[in-house]
Amino acid sequence: MAQENIKLTKKVYDKQSVNDLLNASFSELGNSNNSVSNTNLRNRLNQLFTLYNDLFYDIPKIGTQSHTTLFQRSRDYIGDYVDSKDEEIEGLIDKIVDLEQKLASQDQPDESHPFYRNGIILMDREETWNLYYMDKATRRKIDGDTGSEVFKDLRSALGYKDSDLIDDIVTKVSPNVISQIKPGPRFGPEDIGGAETNVEEELATFEDSFNYSALQDGQLDPRNYGFSLAAYKKYREYMRNRIIIVWQSERRFESLKSKYENDKEFAFTEEEQNKASILREAVIPKIRQAQETLVYYKRLWRYVKGVGANNSDSKMKLLNARENFEDSINTPVTDDERNEYGGWQKGRDNFPNIDLAGLTGYTGEGGNIY
């Protein structure tokens, strides 16, 4: 059989032909006044993409008529185009800047005071419960006095023994000199542990604590107890324990608020100052809740503050508590009542026969304060 030669031809468009056929500015497609029918438009679009596919590898990557030009024009036309790589690059740049700042700060030696070196403990010569840790030429108020766990841990960290005399551990300074040393952030147990926490982690240390409501505490109602000397003692003991727990919780939250206010002003970095500002706002509702609970407890404690001389006396006290319970628990708390509490001293005399001033072990909620 004779072989037949089949001639294949491919239509190739040169640069000039493409320019004649296509309007690179897409003005024809984007002109709303163009009367081209939808059918013609679809046909021309098909032609456009057919040519684009045929010439894809022949189109230069960069230049006036290039892939780069097509991409940039399409991106500008779409508007608000965000490349995920751009976001990743921005994030990496932020990390680089942050690392450079940290490296720069590490390269610079800590500031030091001309007379009191970093790493020593200062004691106010007149008010000896005021202790300060020197750090970066600032005085950092130590939480608690010489009997606090913070001081004991710091003492050990600095290499001192329990048997060492206090005069060998601290440097006593006049209050006038102390006031002239630049204040720094408060010094607490988290500083000794060296742990760095973010806002969320530190919020967790107290945000989930003290979810107690006096209005929903059935054990607070004396009507749920019997009517005997034993019942009176049981109710009174429950009240006493709850008062101690809430009293110490309120002190804990007040201590945190004081620390955050100090850090908000004197923390070493802006990030730490902003963190303290957020935490201060978060702890204020906890203080209010604890203070309102103490108001309810004061109202109830006045009926059972006495131990009870005998069975008849105890029954009479329990009867008074029962008769006044509804009024005590349902009357709204006033600002004057709430303001009886706060700080380390206010309100402790509201609970006679309970030694709130002599507490040394912590039984409250929200973390230790000693």
Side-chain angles (χ1 to χ4, degrees):
M1 178 183 295
Q3 293 184 349
E4 182 180 357
N5 292 327
I6 300 175
K7 185 177 181 181
L8 299 177
T9 60
K10 177 181 178 182
K11 188 174 183 179
V12 179
Y13 299 90
D14 58 19
K15 183 177 179 181
Q16 184 60 43
S17 300
V18 172
N19 290 337
D20 293 339
L21 288 170
L22 298 180
N23 185 343
S25 67
F26 301 105
S27 60
E28 294 182 26
L29 301 180
N31 189 350
S32 59
N33 296 324
N34 198 315
S35 59
V36 180
S37 66
N38 290 336
T39 301
N40 288 338
L41 178 61
R42 284 195 297 271
N43 290 336
R44 299 185 70 177
L45 283 173
N46 288 335
Q47 292 176 4
L48 168 65
F49 283 102
T50 298
L51 289 172
Y52 178 72
N53 291 331
D54 288 343
L55 298 172
F56 185 86
Y57 294 104
D58 297 323
I59 299 174
K61 291 184 179 181
I62 58 175
T64 305
Q65 296 178 331
S66 64
H67 285 290
T68 301
T69 300
L70 290 172
F71 168 74
Q72 290 175 341
R73 287 186 176 181
S74 298
R75 180 189 61 189
D76 294 341
Y77 177 74
I78 293 172
D80 298 327
Y81 175 79
V82 178
D83 193 332
S84 59
K85 289 184 178 180
D86 291 340
E87 293 182 333
E88 184 178 355
I89 291 171
E90 288 293 333
L92 292 173
I93 291 174
D94 291 340
K95 288 183 179 180
I96 291 172
V97 172
D98 183 53
L99 289 172
E100 286 178 343
Q101 291 175 344
K102 289 182 178 180
L103 287 173
S105 62
Q106 291 175 358
D107 292 338
Q108 298 175 356
D110 290 340
E111 293 184 52
S112 58
H113 192 274
F115 297 105
Y116 304 108
R117 60 180 174 81
N118 293 331
I120 66 171
I121 301 175
L122 302 183
M123 174 185 281
D124 189 313
R125 188 179 290 126
E126 296 181 7
E127 299 178 341
T128 56
W129 58 86
N130 284 330
L131 302 168
Y132 305 89
Y133 178 71
M134 288 298 298
D135 185 15
K136 299 179 181 178
T138 68
R139 54 176 171 90
R140 301 183 62 182
K141 181 73 169 63
I142 297 174
D143 289 344
D145 54 20
T146 54
S148 69
E149 293 299 323
V150 175
F151 177 81
K152 292 176 182 178
D153 291 338
L154 179 58
R155 177 185 61 191
S156 299
L158 295 177
Y160 295 102
K161 300 177 182 178
D162 294 347
S163 57
D164 288 337
L165 299 176
I166 189 66
D167 287 346
D168 295 331
I169 300 172
V170 305
T171 300
K172 293 183 178 179
V173 183
S174 70
N176 182 46
V177 171
I178 288 178
S179 66
Q180 296 180 51
I181 300 175
K182 181 181 177 181
R186 291 281 290 271
F187 190 91
E190 66 280 356
D191 295 294
I192 297 177
E196 293 186 6
T197 59
N198 55 35
V199 172
E200 291 75 16
E201 291 169 336
E202 191 152 346
L203 278 174
T205 64
F206 67 82
E207 202 169 36
D208 293 333
S209 64
F210 202 75
N211 294 318
Y212 169 84
S213 172
L215 303 179
Q216 299 176 357
D217 184 0
Q219 291 180 273
L220 206 61
D221 189 346
R223 297 171 299 184
N224 293 331
Y225 293 76
F227 198 57
S228 64
L229 174 61
Y232 176 77
K233 288 183 176 180
K234 182 178 180 181
Y235 176 70
R236 185 178 184 278
E237 183 64 17
Y238 177 75
M239 281 290 305
R240 177 184 177 277
N241 291 334
R242 284 303 310 172
I243 288 169
I244 292 174
I245 289 173
V246 178
W247 171 261
Q248 291 192 311
S249 296
E250 198 274 343
R251 290 180 69 188
R252 169 58 179 166
F253 298 136
E254 286 279 3
S255 177
L256 285 173
K257 177 174 173 282
S258 177
K259 176 184 184 302
Y260 297 145
E261 287 177 342
N262 178 273
D263 291 353
K264 180 182 176 182
E265 184 175 359
F266 300 115
F268 294 128
T269 67
E270 183 179 355
E271 180 181 1
E272 291 171 336
Q273 292 173 355
N274 293 336
K275 171 185 169 183
S277 180
I278 294 172
L279 292 172
R280 178 192 176 278
E281 295 304 314
V283 80
I284 288 177
K286 292 293 182 181
I287 295 174
R288 183 184 180 92
Q289 183 182 1
Q291 291 174 348
E292 290 185 350
T293 302
L294 289 171
V295 170
Y296 291 125
Y297 286 175
K298 176 191 174 183
R299 295 174 181 176
L300 296 171
W301 182 249
R302 61 182 174 178
Y303 300 108
V304 297
K305 60 185 178 181
V307 176
N310 49 51
N311 187 50
S312 177
D313 183 51
S314 298
K315 286 183 177 181
M316 182 59 67
K317 294 180 186 303
L318 192 58
L319 179 62
N320 286 336
R322 288 182 171 187
E323 290 177 346
N324 292 280
F325 176 75
E326 288 287 346
D327 183 61
S328 298
I329 209 73
N330 290 326
T331 302
V333 174
T334 66
D335 290 337
D336 288 341
E337 288 180 304
R338 191 185 305 109
N339 291 335
E340 292 180 8
Y341 305 93
W344 295 89
Q345 306 294 335
K346 291 176 63 177
R348 66 185 183 188
D349 295 332
N350 289 340
F351 305 99
N353 299 324
I354 302 179
D355 185 15
L356 296 174
L359 296 174
T360 55
Y362 184 72
T363 57
E365 301 178 356
N368 207 325
I369 59 176
Y370 298 105

